[in-house]
């Protein structure tokens, strides 16, 4: 475990309050996925501040709900009255709902985020800085038959080891009872079995250093016990077209099970493939998660996928229903029956989720868990908490309350969109529009700069010349492996060749335009069709041109290719309707914020019409300037449910053009 603290970097954060270094060391912890994953862990600092009446008041600034340690800022810490939290800890009983209400009551700033459920625990520790992580190495050792004894041997009297209890008030009460007469100066930390590790100190660096040092000792133990060598690695594998179609089928049926589009990711790296080849892999994924907190994201066990989607989902549903019935009380509402991860024997693992963010969380948790399972096996056997404890966390009062909140789901959440020509202009605007509405996007462009344009987790960027069938196949394979299927295809890539009248038109220019503006899109549609047929409310949108209805002299190569594209779209609409796939076309014109329209070209065109550039930009019937975002809006509308009864449409997006009308 590398210690990332540097004095130079810390000096840029330091301030008189201590909050700056709290932010800094929290970010250091968040940078290390072996300590915390996706919003996990929490940190705090105790600060005395003057209240409105000029009286000094001790406050606990604790990580707020919804913030990630990796990127947290000062605004992510909730200021809570320390005395109120300490008084709550003295209560004999407090429901989690009551606890969360009281945490809000204790806030000094009502606009602050909701304090961490561990706020009371942080308040009880008499040190200024408190760090809490779910370190893989520490929790993995505790998930063995004699985990507590092993941890005691590693740390001796330097840490307090406590048995697992539910987070929140119950955990705070446990710590209070166990530390009533504790000499805190003797300890560097607390280990919560099957949960995580807490360190503390009166300065930020010491608390952080203690965390790194204690976790490093657990890692050293794994190495000295040869357990760290346990994870089995195999070669990565290339999924066949049959494999990919099986994944798309599983995603389609999983979406039907959940009643909304879901995403699926194939984890086929060497470690996942190696795990999937273990003889008892199916049994191992049924024993329980690394820490019960993960079950909120992954459910406590996974499914097994052998190529039969229906069997995989039915078997999991039956197992989950039996699990629920074994531990549920009348107050519990059963969660959905969809697995969040699955073993794919000999091929790796699968992650399933309702949106891109959740898919990343499940994938990362799965990868970390596979490794720690094998550590545990090497130390005598992967032994997690009893299933009832896992159930109690998954069906925690606070989690059940979330079911009653009807948060609006973006229209394209769980949908997968492939867009060609995505590096600029209309294509780039389409990427941004679909992602803004919840979609995952596979962004293709021949321009290698595509890889530097987008950093969003929901966007897979791929360099692709769509006139090359092999490159299309490669990109399609990557898309299915990353997101599990394909629902929407936006055929946008194109080129406007130099003007040339028919008698002077070079064959090469003609052939190039037909190859890119027409033939490539026909080929792309054909290659995507098997996956679109397995998609969720599948749709295709072609980006045509005003030249289809109103061509101009010198533009034969472009106009004929786009006219052919329009006819292709009409035939596709006729042929694909029986498969439930809608096909529509937008016809933009004079979209000036694209690479085609340089200032030089704009000036030349404006001069040709005797207009200023600004007048030329608005030379439409509506007097408006058409932008790429306007075209993207039309594309998303045609692809979405607003036009669910529309196919074969040809929609102009041109501000009104007399020749088209």
């Amino acid at each position: 475990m590398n210690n990332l603290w540097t004095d130079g970097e810390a000096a840029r954060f330091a301030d008189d309050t201590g909050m700056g270094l709290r932010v800094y060391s929290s970010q250091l912890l968040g940078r290390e996925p072996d300590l915390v994953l996706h919003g996990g862990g929490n940190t705090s600092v105790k600060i005395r501040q003057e209240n409105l009446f000029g009286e000094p008041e001790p406050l606990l600034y604790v990580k707020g709900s919804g913030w990630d340690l990796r990127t947290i800022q000062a605004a992510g810490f909730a200021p809570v009255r320390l005395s109120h939290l300490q008084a709550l800890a003295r209560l004999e009983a407090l429901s989690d709902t009551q606890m969360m209400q009281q945490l809000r009551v204790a806030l000094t700033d009502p606009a602050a985020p909701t304090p961490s459920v561990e706020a009371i625990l942080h308040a009880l520790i008499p040190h200024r800085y408190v760090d809490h992580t779910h370190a893989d190495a520490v929790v993995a050792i505790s998930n063995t038959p004699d985990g507590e004894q092993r941890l005691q041997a590693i740390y001796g009297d330097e840490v307090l080891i406590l048995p697992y209890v539910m987070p929140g008030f119950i955990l705070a009460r446990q710590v209070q009872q166990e530390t009533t007469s504790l000499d805190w100066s003797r300890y560097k930390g607390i280990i919560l079995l099957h949960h995580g590790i807490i360190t503390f100190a009166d300065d930020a660096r010491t608390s952080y250093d203690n965390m790194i040092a204690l976790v490093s000792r657990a890692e050293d133990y794994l190495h000295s016990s040869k357990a760290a060598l346990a994870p089995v690695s195999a070669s990565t594998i290339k999924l066949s077209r049959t494999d990919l179609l099986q994944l798309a089928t599983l995603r389609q049926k999983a979406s039907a099970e959940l009643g909304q589009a879901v995403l699926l990711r194939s984890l086929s790296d060497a470690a996942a493939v190696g795990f999937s080849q273990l003889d008892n892999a199916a049994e191992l994924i049924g024993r329980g998660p690394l820490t019960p907190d993960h079950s909120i994201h992954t459910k406590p066990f996974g499914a097994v996928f052998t190529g039969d989607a229906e069997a995989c989902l039915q078997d999991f549903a039956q197992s989950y229903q039996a699990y629920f019935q074994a531990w549920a009380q009348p107050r519990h509402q059963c969660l959905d029956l969809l697995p969040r991860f699955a073993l794919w024997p000999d091929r790796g693992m699968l992650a399933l989720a309702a949106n891109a963010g959740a898919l990343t969380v499940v994938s990362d948790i799965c990868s970390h868990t596979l490794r720690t399972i094998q550590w545990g096996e090497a130390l005598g056997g992967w032994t997690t908490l009893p299933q009832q404890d896992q159930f109690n966390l998954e069906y925690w009062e606070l989690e059940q309350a979330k079911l009653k909140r009807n948060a609006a789901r973006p229209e394209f959440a769980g949908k997968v969109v492939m867009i060609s020509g995505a590096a600029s202009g209309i294509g780039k605007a389409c990427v941004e529009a679909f992602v803004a509405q919840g979609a995952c996007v596979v962004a293709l462009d021949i321009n290698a700069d595509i890889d530097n344009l987008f950093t969003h987790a929901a966007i897979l960027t791929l360099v692709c010349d769509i006139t090359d069938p092999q490159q299309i196949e490669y990109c399609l394979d990557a898309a299915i492996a990353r997101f599990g299927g394909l629902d929407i295809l936006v055929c946008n890539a194109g080129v406007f060749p130099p003007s040339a009248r028919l008698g002077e038109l070079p064959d090469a220019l003609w052939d190039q335009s037909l190859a890119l503006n027409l033939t490539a899109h026909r080929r792309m549609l054909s290659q995507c069709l098997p996956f679109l047929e397995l998609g969720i409310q599948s749709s295709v949108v072609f980006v045509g041109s005003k030249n289809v209805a109103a061509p101009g002299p010198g533009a034969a190569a472009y106009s004929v290719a786009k006219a052919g594209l329009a006819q292709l779209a009409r035939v596709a609409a006729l042929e694909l309707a029986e498969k439930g796939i809608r096909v529509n076309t937008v016809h933009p014109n004079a979209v000036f914020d694209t690479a085609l329209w340089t200032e030089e070209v704009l000036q030349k065109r404006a001069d040709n019409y005797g207009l200023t550039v600004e007048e030329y930009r608005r030379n439409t019937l509506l007097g408006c300037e058409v932008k790429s975002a306007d075209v993207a809006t039309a594309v998303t509308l045609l692809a979405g449910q607003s036009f669910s009864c529309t196919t074969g449409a040809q929609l102009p997006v041109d501000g009104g053009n007399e020749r088209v009308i």
Side-chain angles (χ1 to χ4, degrees):
M1 181 66 60
N2 291 325
N3 190 313
L4 303 178
W5 186 288
T6 64
D7 289 337
E9 190 176 22
R12 293 196 294 271
F13 283 82
D15 59 20
D16 293 337
T17 68
M19 175 56 74
L21 291 179
R22 175 67 290 172
V23 170
Y24 174 58
S25 62
S26 297
Q27 291 181 1
L28 295 186
L29 295 172
R31 289 181 201 174
E32 179 49 74
D34 287 351
L35 292 177
V36 293
L37 285 173
H38 302 291
N42 42 74
T43 59
S44 69
V45 59
K46 298 177 181 71
I47 297 175
R48 291 182 68 85
Q49 283 184 329
E50 284 191 358
N51 59 25
L52 184 63
F53 307 103
E55 302 163 342
E57 185 174 24
L59 302 179
L60 176 78
Y61 277 82
V62 64
K63 177 195 158 190
S65 177
W67 284 80
D68 192 300
L69 289 180
R70 184 174 57 88
T71 56
I72 198 165
Q73 300 294 328
F77 289 90
V80 196
R81 293 181 179 86
L82 189 60
S83 59
H84 194 96
L85 297 179
Q86 293 168 339
L88 291 176
R90 293 192 291 271
L91 295 174
E92 290 297 322
L94 187 69
S95 74
D96 287 305
T97 299
Q98 291 173 322
M99 177 187 71
M100 297 311 296
Q101 291 172 341
Q102 287 300 309
L103 293 183
R104 294 295 309 177
V105 168
L107 280 171
T108 62
D109 179 2
T114 298
S116 164
V117 296
E118 307 295 13
I120 302 175
L121 169 60
H122 284 249
L124 292 173
I125 297 175
H127 286 279
R128 193 174 184 204
Y129 289 88
V130 178
D131 298 334
H132 179 193
T133 75
H134 303 145
D136 288 355
V138 175
V139 182
I141 293 170
S142 78
N143 286 354
T144 60
D146 52 355
E148 183 175 356
Q149 290 76 15
R150 291 177 183 272
L151 291 168
Q152 194 67 59
I154 295 169
Y155 297 114
D157 294 332
E158 291 184 64
V159 301
L160 177 67
I161 299 176
L162 298 177
Y164 175 84
V165 296
M166 280 285 290
F169 179 74
I170 296 175
L171 175 57
R173 282 284 293 168
Q174 179 199 41
V175 170
Q176 185 197 48
Q177 292 168 356
E178 293 289 340
T179 60
T180 301
S181 57
L182 189 71
D183 179 4
W184 285 92
S185 64
R186 290 180 46 202
Y187 294 95
K188 293 182 177 179
I190 300 174
I191 290 179
L192 309 170
L193 295 176
H194 306 285
H195 182 160
I197 178 171
I198 299 170
T199 57
F200 35 78
D202 288 326
D203 65 276
R205 177 160 191 173
T206 301
S207 184
Y208 172 77
D209 287 348
N210 286 344
M211 178 66 70
I212 300 306
L214 292 177
V215 175
S216 294
R217 284 163 66 176
E219 292 178 335
D220 290 344
Y221 181 85
L222 292 172
H223 281 281
S224 65
S225 304
K226 309 300 182 184
L229 303 176
V232 179
S233 293
S235 300
T236 58
I237 61 171
K238 176 175 173 53
L239 300 179
S240 69
R241 185 47 56 98
T242 299
D243 291 333
L244 295 168
L245 287 169
Q246 287 179 349
L247 290 185
T249 301
L250 176 60
R251 173 182 175 255
Q252 181 192 53
K253 294 187 180 301
S255 297
E257 168 65 38
L258 195 61
Q260 61 189 41
V262 301
L263 302 166
L264 183 153
R265 177 168 298 168
S266 170
L267 306 178
S268 54
D269 57 279
V273 173
F275 181 88
S276 74
Q277 294 173 350
L278 295 174
D279 291 338
N280 63 337
E283 188 266 331
L284 287 174
I285 65 167
R287 292 189 196 173
L290 173 60
T291 172
D293 300 61
H294 288 173
S295 64
I296 295 171
H297 303 289
T298 65
K299 295 188 180 290
F301 52 87
V304 177
F305 177 60
T306 58
D308 186 332
E310 287 191 6
C312 171
L313 296 174
Q314 288 176 1
D315 290 347
F316 180 84
Q318 291 174 358
S319 297
Y320 192 83
Q321 284 176 322
Y323 155 79
F324 178 78
Q325 291 168 1
W327 307 111
Q329 300 295 322
R331 68 178 183 277
H332 291 131
Q333 177 184 340
C334 187
L335 301 175
D336 65 80
L337 303 179
L338 183 71
R340 295 303 189 269
F341 69 98
L343 170 72
W344 197 7
D346 299 322
R347 286 174 172 78
M349 301 292 294
L350 304 175
L352 298 95
N355 57 62
L359 185 67
T360 299
V361 171
V362 173
S363 300
D364 288 348
I365 288 176
C366 190
S367 295
H368 279 255
T369 303
L370 299 186
R371 180 183 60 171
T372 55
I373 284 176
Q374 293 174 81
W375 290 346
E377 284 292 278
L379 292 177
W382 179 250
T383 308
T384 60
L385 285 168
Q387 201 174 69
Q388 184 171 9
D389 288 314
Q390 298 172 30
F391 178 90
N392 290 342
L393 201 292
E394 185 186 7
Y395 281 82
W396 195 5
E397 179 182 336
L398 299 179
E399 294 301 317
Q400 287 277 288
K402 293 179 182 179
L403 300 177
K404 300 174 184 177
R405 304 171 193 162
N406 295 316
R409 180 174 164 87
E411 178 172 5
F412 295 107
K415 295 286 193 73
V416 184
V417 186
M418 180 175 283
I419 301 172
S420 63
S424 62
I426 292 170
K428 183 172 181 287
C430 286
V431 173
E432 294 166 346
F434 275 108
V435 170
Q437 297 184 55
C440 286
V441 174
V442 183
L444 311 181
D445 204 285
I446 196 170
N447 187 346
D449 288 343
I450 185 79
D451 290 334
N452 302 317
L453 286 179
F454 307 105
T455 57
H456 198 290
I459 303 174
L460 172 63
T461 59
L462 296 167
V463 177
C464 181
D465 177 355
I466 67 167
T467 65
D468 184 337
Q470 291 184 328
Q471 290 192 38
I472 295 176
E473 181 180 354
Y474 170 83
C475 292
L476 190 54
D477 289 355
I480 306 306
R482 176 68 68 91
F483 298 126
L486 181 63
D487 308 305
I488 299 168
L489 174 64
V490 179
C491 290
N492 167 70
V495 63
F496 192 94
S499 295
R501 290 184 175 269
L502 289 171
E504 304 163 351
L505 179 60
D507 287 348
L509 205 65
W510 174 267
D511 292 342
Q512 179 193 38
S513 181
L514 288 177
L516 177 55
N517 293 324
L518 176 56
T519 303
H521 296 296
R522 193 277 306 164
R523 186 181 295 120
M524 191 168 187
L525 176 61
S526 296
Q527 290 187 242
C528 290
L529 264 180
F531 296 100
L532 288 169
E533 290 177 17
L534 294 170
I536 314 303
Q537 300 162 333
S538 295
S539 178
V540 179
V541 181
F542 288 98
V543 179
S545 169
K546 175 272 297 183
N547 283 33
V548 172
Y558 181 75
S559 301
V560 170
K562 285 295 188 178
L565 187 67
Q567 288 295 86
L568 172 66
R570 294 170 71 187
V571 173
L574 293 170
E575 293 184 1
L576 302 183
E578 64 183 21
K579 302 178 184 296
I581 302 173
R582 297 183 299 108
V583 184
N584 295 290
T585 305
V586 295
H587 293 299
N589 182 46
V591 184
F592 297 116
D593 59 342
T594 63
L596 171 67
W597 292 96
T598 64
E599 291 300 321
E600 180 181 358
V601 171
L602 266 173
Q603 189 65 61
K604 185 176 180 180
R605 291 293 182 90
D607 292 345
N608 188 53
Y609 286 93
L611 302 171
T612 67
V613 169
E614 186 59 31
E615 288 171 339
Y616 182 70
R617 285 179 179 274
R618 299 181 179 278
N619 189 28
T620 63
L621 291 177
L622 294 175
C624 63
E625 179 181 347
V626 182
K627 297 182 180 295
S628 295
D630 299 316
V631 184
T633 297
V635 170
T636 57
L637 284 170
L638 285 173
Q641 288 306 291
S642 297
F643 284 80
S644 61
C645 295
T646 299
T647 194
Q650 308 274 326
L651 178 66
V653 188
D654 56 13
N657 183 291
E658 288 183 357
R659 295 178 61 210
V660 170
I661 293 174

